[in-house]
Amino acid sequence: FGSLESKLNDRQRENITSYDISTSLEFGKFFSQKTGLSKPKYFGYSETYSNPQFNPLDPDVPFQQALNSIDDDSRRKELKRIAQDYTKRQSINLTNIRKNRTGDAGKPKIWDIENFNLSLGYSQVYRRNINLEYDNQKDYLAAIGYNFITQPKYIEPFKKAKPFQSKWTRPIKDFNLNFVPSSFTFRTDINRHYGEVQVRDLSEFAFTQPATFNKTFTTSRQYSIAWDLMKSVKIDFTATNLANIDEPFGRLDTPEKKDSVRTNFWKLGRNINYRQSGSVGYNVPFNKLPLTDWINLNLRYLFDYSWLSGPLGSSLAGQPIGVDPSIGSTIQNSNTKQLNSTFNLTTLYRKSK
């Protein structure tokens, strides 16, 4: 099939049949609104069959004719399975499962279940054709998050003290402290990809090539805190850690291999990347004094630190694999100091009159 302008080799020379099913559901709707439960779910499933015009094992013979010439039903199915290009996709995701706050939830607390959220996911792509016995790709996802936000409560010990009611002692009068962080966020993600490919042997030597594997298993942790220590002092800090959960080569088909992965998982993996950054800001109280209330001055300090693990290797035979000491890991750090000021000359001019 094709347009009149297309060449013969450009035209579609296979029959393609496919279907796709997908749905999104909110299972929280099955519960009372008073529970505040939110559980969105997505499910998708699709299959695609592509039958060639000619038999790929004998390109001079139409594929349907080759199938009709085989009397044995099992052999006919085997030829169709080998020559057919087949793809299956399936996925299921539970994203951001959480309990929302309801009207009678009361004051937010650091241990409230509403601060947590959970996500789970699984997807698979399976394919086979004339060149591949199978190409099986699987992805797994699990994530848990925590987010707590509160309004700062400042303690002002000198606000009502009589010795500090003068306009010259306003910086002391307005002195304040907040002992509780304004927000704290934590999230950990676990991602695993498993890929296995088996190439089909079409030669006459009956040689089966070994399967190839592509596997990654990582876990990441993210921390973030914001703290208004004073109305004039703001502190932010963020840290991210990425770790690799090492797996043995090949399939996990023995108790020893499974136990190895399980042990590495509970050790939180092997750290391969870490980064932290933060800042501290301070508004100098010049604007609280009569002589300098036309000056606004902000001091800010920013810092950044990162660590990247070196490549794995072993310098001696029989030695365990680890970071090559001749290469080592990479560390980078930086800091920035900022001073920002504004001068209100209109206010200064009024003072000079």
PDB file of all heavy atoms in Angstrom, residues 302-313:
ATOM      1  N   LEU A 302      26.152  31.528  49.410  1.00  0.00           N
ATOM      2  CA  LEU A 302      25.703  30.321  48.729  1.00  0.00           C
ATOM      3  C   LEU A 302      26.861  29.347  48.621  1.00  0.00           C
ATOM      4  O   LEU A 302      28.002  29.760  48.368  1.00  0.00           O
ATOM      5  CB  LEU A 302      25.154  30.637  47.332  1.00  0.00           C
ATOM      6  CG  LEU A 302      23.968  31.605  47.251  1.00  0.00           C
ATOM      7  CD1 LEU A 302      24.477  33.025  47.007  1.00  0.00           C
ATOM      8  CD2 LEU A 302      23.010  31.203  46.146  1.00  0.00           C
ATOM      9  N   PHE A 303      26.569  28.071  48.783  1.00  0.00           N
ATOM     10  CA  PHE A 303      27.618  27.056  48.698  1.00  0.00           C
ATOM     11  C   PHE A 303      27.089  25.851  47.922  1.00  0.00           C
ATOM     12  O   PHE A 303      25.882  25.593  47.860  1.00  0.00           O
ATOM     13  CB  PHE A 303      28.084  26.627  50.090  1.00  0.00           C
ATOM     14  CG  PHE A 303      26.997  26.039  50.953  1.00  0.00           C
ATOM     15  CD1 PHE A 303      26.727  24.678  50.938  1.00  0.00           C
ATOM     16  CD2 PHE A 303      26.236  26.856  51.790  1.00  0.00           C
ATOM     17  CE1 PHE A 303      25.733  24.130  51.729  1.00  0.00           C
ATOM     18  CE2 PHE A 303      25.240  26.318  52.581  1.00  0.00           C
ATOM     19  CZ  PHE A 303      24.988  24.953  52.552  1.00  0.00           C
ATOM     20  N   ASP A 304      28.033  25.134  47.330  1.00  0.00           N
ATOM     21  CA  ASP A 304      27.695  23.956  46.533  1.00  0.00           C
ATOM     22  C   ASP A 304      28.830  22.947  46.645  1.00  0.00           C
ATOM     23  O   ASP A 304      30.004  23.323  46.572  1.00  0.00           O
ATOM     24  CB  ASP A 304      27.465  24.342  45.067  1.00  0.00           C
ATOM     25  CG  ASP A 304      27.035  23.161  44.224  1.00  0.00           C
ATOM     26  OD1 ASP A 304      27.920  22.468  43.692  1.00  0.00           O
ATOM     27  OD2 ASP A 304      25.822  22.927  44.099  1.00  0.00           O
ATOM     28  N   TYR A 305      28.469  21.687  46.830  1.00  0.00           N
ATOM     29  CA  TYR A 305      29.462  20.617  46.953  1.00  0.00           C
ATOM     30  C   TYR A 305      28.939  19.393  46.211  1.00  0.00           C
ATOM     31  O   TYR A 305      27.739  19.047  46.319  1.00  0.00           O
ATOM     32  CB  TYR A 305      29.707  20.271  48.419  1.00  0.00           C
ATOM     33  CG  TYR A 305      30.511  19.001  48.633  1.00  0.00           C
ATOM     34  CD1 TYR A 305      31.906  19.024  48.620  1.00  0.00           C
ATOM     35  CD2 TYR A 305      29.868  17.778  48.838  1.00  0.00           C
ATOM     36  CE1 TYR A 305      32.639  17.861  48.808  1.00  0.00           C
ATOM     37  CE2 TYR A 305      30.594  16.615  49.035  1.00  0.00           C
ATOM     38  CZ  TYR A 305      31.979  16.658  49.017  1.00  0.00           C
ATOM     39  OH  TYR A 305      32.705  15.504  49.207  1.00  0.00           O
ATOM     40  N   SER A 306      29.799  18.727  45.439  1.00  0.00           N
ATOM     41  CA  SER A 306      29.396  17.527  44.727  1.00  0.00           C
ATOM     42  C   SER A 306      30.521  16.506  44.754  1.00  0.00           C
ATOM     43  O   SER A 306      31.707  16.865  44.757  1.00  0.00           O
ATOM     44  CB  SER A 306      29.013  17.852  43.274  1.00  0.00           C
ATOM     45  OG  SER A 306      30.129  18.336  42.554  1.00  0.00           O
ATOM     46  N   TRP A 307      30.114  15.255  44.779  1.00  0.00           N
ATOM     47  CA  TRP A 307      31.053  14.136  44.774  1.00  0.00           C
ATOM     48  C   TRP A 307      30.577  13.115  43.757  1.00  0.00           C
ATOM     49  O   TRP A 307      29.397  12.739  43.737  1.00  0.00           O
ATOM     50  CB  TRP A 307      31.128  13.506  46.163  1.00  0.00           C
ATOM     51  CG  TRP A 307      31.939  12.242  46.220  1.00  0.00           C
ATOM     52  CD1 TRP A 307      33.284  12.124  46.396  1.00  0.00           C
ATOM     53  CD2 TRP A 307      31.430  10.900  46.108  1.00  0.00           C
ATOM     54  NE1 TRP A 307      33.655  10.807  46.396  1.00  0.00           N
ATOM     55  CE2 TRP A 307      32.540  10.022  46.208  1.00  0.00           C
ATOM     56  CE3 TRP A 307      30.160  10.360  45.904  1.00  0.00           C
ATOM     57  CZ2 TRP A 307      32.404   8.644  46.146  1.00  0.00           C
ATOM     58  CZ3 TRP A 307      30.024   8.983  45.827  1.00  0.00           C
ATOM     59  CH2 TRP A 307      31.138   8.147  45.959  1.00  0.00           C
ATOM     60  N   LEU A 308      31.480  12.681  42.884  1.00  0.00           N
ATOM     61  CA  LEU A 308      31.167  11.709  41.842  1.00  0.00           C
ATOM     62  C   LEU A 308      32.123  10.539  41.948  1.00  0.00           C
ATOM     63  O   LEU A 308      33.350  10.719  41.907  1.00  0.00           O
ATOM     64  CB  LEU A 308      31.269  12.351  40.454  1.00  0.00           C
ATOM     65  CG  LEU A 308      30.970  11.441  39.253  1.00  0.00           C
ATOM     66  CD1 LEU A 308      29.515  10.969  39.293  1.00  0.00           C
ATOM     67  CD2 LEU A 308      31.254  12.170  37.948  1.00  0.00           C
ATOM     68  N   SER A 309      31.574   9.342  42.095  1.00  0.00           N
ATOM     69  CA  SER A 309      32.406   8.155  42.246  1.00  0.00           C
ATOM     70  C   SER A 309      33.167   7.858  40.961  1.00  0.00           C
ATOM     71  O   SER A 309      32.677   8.080  39.850  1.00  0.00           O
ATOM     72  CB  SER A 309      31.530   6.951  42.618  1.00  0.00           C
ATOM     73  OG  SER A 309      32.296   5.765  42.654  1.00  0.00           O
ATOM     74  N   GLY A 310      34.369   7.344  41.120  1.00  0.00           N
ATOM     75  CA  GLY A 310      35.166   6.952  39.976  1.00  0.00           C
ATOM     76  C   GLY A 310      34.669   5.651  39.365  1.00  0.00           C
ATOM     77  O   GLY A 310      33.832   4.945  39.947  1.00  0.00           O
ATOM     78  N   PRO A 311      35.182   5.289  38.191  1.00  0.00           N
ATOM     79  CA  PRO A 311      34.746   4.044  37.535  1.00  0.00           C
ATOM     80  C   PRO A 311      35.241   2.825  38.289  1.00  0.00           C
ATOM     81  O   PRO A 311      36.280   2.850  38.957  1.00  0.00           O
ATOM     82  CB  PRO A 311      35.386   4.142  36.144  1.00  0.00           C
ATOM     83  CG  PRO A 311      36.573   5.039  36.338  1.00  0.00           C
ATOM     84  CD  PRO A 311      36.174   6.020  37.394  1.00  0.00           C
ATOM     85  N   LEU A 312      34.477   1.751  38.170  1.00  0.00           N
ATOM     86  CA  LEU A 312      34.852   0.504  38.833  1.00  0.00           C
ATOM     87  C   LEU A 312      35.931  -0.215  38.034  1.00  0.00           C
ATOM     88  O   LEU A 312      36.012  -0.125  36.818  1.00  0.00           O
ATOM     89  CB  LEU A 312      33.629  -0.403  38.982  1.00  0.00           C
ATOM     90  CG  LEU A 312      32.508   0.085  39.904  1.00  0.00           C
ATOM     91  CD1 LEU A 312      31.381  -0.927  39.927  1.00  0.00           C
ATOM     92  CD2 LEU A 312      33.031   0.326  41.305  1.00  0.00           C
ATOM     93  N   GLY A 313      36.752  -0.957  38.752  1.00  0.00           N
ATOM     94  CA  GLY A 313      37.797  -1.740  38.101  1.00  0.00           C
ATOM     95  C   GLY A 313      38.579  -2.500  39.140  1.00  0.00           C
ATOM     96  O   GLY A 313      38.410  -2.320  40.352  1.00  0.00           O
TER      97      GLY A 313
END
